[in-house]
Each structure stands twice: as structure tokens, then as C-alpha cells.
Amino acid sequence: MNKKSLLWSLASLLVLTSLLLSACAAPATTAAPTQPPATDAPTGAATEPPAATEPATAAVPNCGTDPVVLNAYFETGFDIPFKLAEEFTRQYPNVTWDIKQDQFANLITTTPLLLSGDNPPDLLRLPTMVSFAKDGLLMNLDDYATAFGWDEWPVPQLNQNRVAEDGTRGSGSLYAMGLNYSLTGIFYNKELAAQIGMTEPPKTLAELDELLAAAKAAGLQPIMEWGSAKSGMGLAFPLQNLMAAYGPVGPINDWIFQKPGATIDTPSNLLAAQHLERWIQAGYFPPDINAIEYTDAASRFTQGEGVFTFNGDWQNAGYDTGMPGNVGFFLMPPAEAGGAPAAMSAPLTYGIAANAKNADCAAFFFNWVGSNDAARTINVNIGGSNPGGPLGAMMPAAAPGSVTNETLAAGPVVGAAGNSMDFIANATSSIFAQGWTPELQKMVGGQQDAAGLLKAVQAEYLRQLEQ
């Protein structure tokens, strides 16, 4: 259902934007892997990095030298995990992959069955993790964190994937890791933006409103976005950005992390939902938005339909390929002049099933993704996102003129402001499918208003917490 969930920061930026990750499970020790052969830089790399970093020692969990087949479930629509898997096998030929894939929305409902099945995945894209951790379906990665030294990585990389004993996120044991750390914001078509008089990104929400009105008056599609239930309602992206423009991000994160007493139905969030409702009524989104899937929206924007689109840096490579030199990026401007910008910044979260057959190799893959130069280069040049990992790790250079340079530069701005958020779709295992998506679709159809939207989603949130 949600595909980009989205979703969904970058060099020193990502350190600032604050990365987030978790780890759990008691690792077993195996023989050290053979030294991988020298390899060329992955396709799309701006520079040619060393093929591999230092091999694991005998005391550290790894993939061994015997044949290993990693059982994995990836999210459709994203090249990054597949490219990382290909490079990993190039460096460690004894490891091959059995990869299944599904849309994010479907993973929300199928993950419990996958984790509890007879052949649970060694690696799985996680839509959420709290309920799976509480039910003992996810492997606790704390021992791996100690063995690999993840605890010495910047703290924010781990915190978002930690689950405490009371079921709240942000502290406690580690249950997942990020393959990278994404940043969201507003992308724009430079040629179309110039047509409506945009010479620089808007500094306030009012200035953004003026640009949207100008686009509508010029006969252009102001915002391209998706809304199909198959992909998950993309209006959650502009809605959460509007929430951060009108109020602090702390209460939003508390709600996502399931802190006691947290609510999404706040006065500032009501202002944000009302603002989104005005955008809908003004015709700033495609009239067929409820039928548009994520990939279609990305393609239509790339082909020139839409002055703006709310999305994440995972789409950078697609934008740069489809509209080279014609795409820009800026963070959501604040409602009041002088306010600090905010953004959703979250890891591309993957976990290991509690009963996974190849947990050591899967954990070794996690460590490789963050510390190997070739893997980090793939993350920047194909994933468009900050690779995270240890402090001082090589940061690959993005291609000159690419939008990746703009998203990477935005990371430190959000980090310095302390305005990083997780995605509101990640609050519970199915809040996106059963809360945000249907209620926002109703708003598009004129069957729901801003106040009703927040009350309905909060009620669904509480219902799911009680299950």
C-alpha cells in the first residue's frame, strides 16, 4: 500500500538530520569470510571506491565461506536494496539471494505472517516494528550492535529503531537497521517554476501558497502527488510537512513513537490539516489523485506534469535521469518568517526474523552497507541518500549538478534546527493503511474535513494500540 513511505540524510547532514537505527539478537561466531576480489565501482558511482573494506575477523559474526542463500523480502519500486545485494555478492561470492518483493502497503499486512512462517526472512523491509518486536517476531540486535561496534555510531542512527519494554520507540533494544537515511521535502521543475516567477525557494508558507496559486492560474498542475491505496496516500507527505510548519515536531514524534498520552489531534495539526484541505479544494492536486500510484506520480512529474511534488531523496536518481538539470529541491518553509524548516528523516528500515536461518550473515550485511566504500557509493549515487555508518566513513561525492547535492545540503539545516521527524505512517503497523489513506481519500472526495480526519485517525491509532 505505502510505497514510499515513505518513507522515508546525508553526509554531515545526515549526522545532523539524525539518523536512526536499531539492533537486536545474539550472534553466533563463524569463520571469517575470504578476502573479496577487487571490483569496479558500482554503476552510477561518481568516484571509484575500493571494492571492499577490511574483512571481518574470526571474532565477528559474518557470512563464512560456505554457500549461503539469504532469504529476503524487499519493497518494490526501489533499486537500492537490489543494487546493494548485487554488490555484496560480487564481494562475497559464496552469498546468493532468494529475493521476493511486494508493495509497502502489502508488507504492512503480510509481515506478521512472513515473520512467523516456517521459512522466515533473513532480511525484511519493515513497515513498522513495535508490534513485531513485542510479539517476539523480530530478532533483538543488541549483541550484533556490540560485536560490530554500532553503538559507537552516531546515536540518532540507532534510536529510531529501538523499542523499549513498554512498547515505545526511541530507546531500549535495537530491532532493525537502516540501509540508508532519507530526507523528504519539495522537489520542483525548474523550467516550470521559472514560468510562474519563482527565482528562489519560498521562505514562508505564504510564499509557497502564492506560487501554487500562480501555477494554477498559468494552467499548470501545481502539485503532482499520488493517492492510490496500493501505494498509500501520498498526501500524508504534504500534511506532515504542514504540521511541522505550524507547530513543533516533538509531539509528532511522540505520537509516532507511541509515547503515553500522545495525540495527533492537536490545535496546530488542525491548522495544518485545514491548510491541506484548502489546497485540495483549490485544485492544487491532480483530480484523479486517488487512483494515482507512486510510480505513476514520479513518472508524470518527470515528464513535466507538476511544478512541485512532495517526495523523498530516494527518487533522486530517477529525477536526475528523467529530467537532468531541471529538478531542484527545498525544505518545507515555516508558517512564520524566521521559523526553522523541518523534514521527515528516517532510515530505510530492515529487520531480521527472530528465527532467521542466516542471522549472522544478515547482520554482517547490515554492517557492510554502512561501512563498505562501494556500498556507501551505491547509497549516495543510486539511493540518493546518506549512507549513515560510523563517524569518519568515506562520503561519496554526488554527481555535479545532481539534485542529490541539494538534498544532501539540506540535511545539516534540519539537523541544526533539531526538526527531524519520523513518518506519520510508521506510528503503528497499519495506521497508514487503515487510518491515513482512507481518511485522506475521503477528504479528496469531499467526504471528510480536517477536524474529522484527525479525530478518525486518532481513534484508529488508539484502537490499534489496544489490540
Side-chain angles (χ1 to χ4, degrees):
M1 155 176 295
N2 169 8
K3 205 168 188 176
K4 331 310 169 213
S5 64
L6 259 206
L7 261 155
W8 7 326
S9 272
L10 341 124
S12 74
L13 4 158
L14 203 26
V15 175
L16 308 166
T17 301
S18 287
L19 315 165
L20 326 139
L21 243 125
S22 310
C24 287
T29 301
T30 58
T34 56
Q35 174 67 39
T39 60
D40 296 328
T43 301
T47 58
E48 183 172 335
T53 51
E54 295 182 8
T57 65
V60 177
N62 55 77
C63 296
T65 56
D66 294 333
V68 175
V69 179
L70 285 175
N71 177 20
Y73 272 81
F74 292 166
E75 179 184 358
T76 57
F78 295 93
D79 288 339
I80 185 65
F82 298 93
K83 296 298 184 181
L84 288 171
E86 291 174 5
E87 177 62 22
F88 190 74
T89 294
R90 284 211 303 169
Q91 295 187 25
Y92 300 96
N94 65 304
V95 180
T96 55
W97 299 77
D98 178 10
I99 299 174
K100 292 89 171 176
Q101 54 182 309
D102 207 341
Q103 296 192 40
F104 187 88
N106 294 335
L107 285 173
I108 290 175
T109 56
T110 61
T111 293
L113 297 176
L114 294 174
L115 291 174
S116 60
D118 295 333
N119 185 30
D122 300 310
L123 287 167
L124 172 70
R125 171 71 168 111
L126 292 173
T128 58
M129 75 185 74
V130 173
S131 60
F132 308 137
K134 291 170 63 178
D135 293 341
L137 298 176
L138 280 178
M139 182 166 287
N140 182 307
L141 305 179
D142 284 347
D143 288 342
Y144 286 125
T146 300
F148 289 113
W150 298 338
D151 290 333
E152 298 177 6
W153 293 9
V155 171
Q157 291 188 55
L158 305 176
N159 284 357
Q160 209 176 64
N161 290 330
R162 293 190 182 279
V163 179
E165 292 184 2
D166 63 0
T168 59
R169 286 175 55 202
S171 64
S173 290
L174 189 66
Y175 284 91
M177 289 290 279
L179 298 191
N180 59 26
Y181 301 84
S182 296
L183 184 75
T184 66
I186 305 174
F187 295 83
Y188 64 99
N189 182 311
K190 292 181 179 180
E191 293 180 359
L192 296 183
Q195 291 181 28
I196 60 173
M198 177 177 161
T199 58
E200 62 180 2
K203 294 182 174 59
T204 64
L205 183 54
E207 290 183 7
L208 176 59
D209 282 337
E210 292 174 359
L211 291 170
L212 294 174
K216 184 69 174 178
L220 302 173
Q221 177 61 57
I223 307 173
M224 173 52 63
E225 211 72 15
W226 64 97
S228 167
K230 292 181 179 180
S231 299
M233 172 48 92
L235 288 187
F237 281 74
L239 174 59
Q240 187 168 351
N241 275 277
L242 285 165
M243 289 178 176
Y246 275 105
V249 302
I252 300 173
N253 280 327
D254 286 348
W255 186 79
I256 297 169
F257 291 172
Q258 300 182 12
K259 297 297 177 66
T263 180
I264 200 68
D265 188 9
T266 66
S268 62
N269 288 347
L270 176 59
L271 292 175
Q274 290 171 336
H275 205 120
L276 178 67
E277 189 174 15
R278 290 196 296 273
W279 282 359
I280 293 171
Q281 294 170 349
Y284 291 165
F285 299 102
D288 60 339
I289 185 173
N290 281 352
I292 300 176
E293 295 188 35
Y294 174 85
T295 51
D296 294 329
S299 175
R300 288 167 65 169
F301 177 75
T302 300
Q303 293 170 16
E305 188 177 351
V307 181
F308 304 100
T309 187
F310 288 77
N311 209 337
D313 55 12
W314 53 81
Q315 194 60 41
N316 284 354
Y319 290 153
D320 279 329
T321 299
M323 47 195 305
N326 191 34
V327 59
F329 174 86
F330 60 89
L331 296 168
M332 182 70 173
E336 301 293 337
M344 288 173 278
S345 174
L348 180 62
T349 305
Y350 275 73
I352 302 173
N355 296 320
K357 297 177 181 178
N358 300 298
D360 276 11
C361 189
F364 182 76
F365 174 76
F366 283 153
N367 190 69
W368 173 87
V369 167
S371 59
N372 179 269
D373 288 353
R376 294 174 65 83
T377 299
I378 290 173
N379 253 319
V380 169
N381 289 281
I382 296 177
S385 301
N386 189 289
L391 285 172
M394 181 275 292
M395 177 55 66
S402 68
V403 73
T404 298
N405 282 313
E406 296 188 38
T407 57
L408 287 175
V413 177
V414 178
N419 276 354
S420 176
M421 303 173 286
D422 195 356
F423 187 31
I424 53 176
N426 296 337
T428 68
S429 61
S430 56
I431 196 64
F432 197 50
Q434 299 178 19
W436 291 118
T437 294
E439 297 304 326
L440 284 167
Q441 287 181 329
K442 291 177 185 177
M443 180 179 280
V444 169
Q447 301 173 353
Q448 182 60 284
D449 62 13
L453 166 75
L454 296 178
K455 292 184 185 305
V457 171
Q458 179 65 17
E460 177 62 24
Y461 173 84
L462 295 175
R463 186 190 70 80
Q464 293 183 21
L465 292 184
E466 293 172 355
Q467 289 182 338

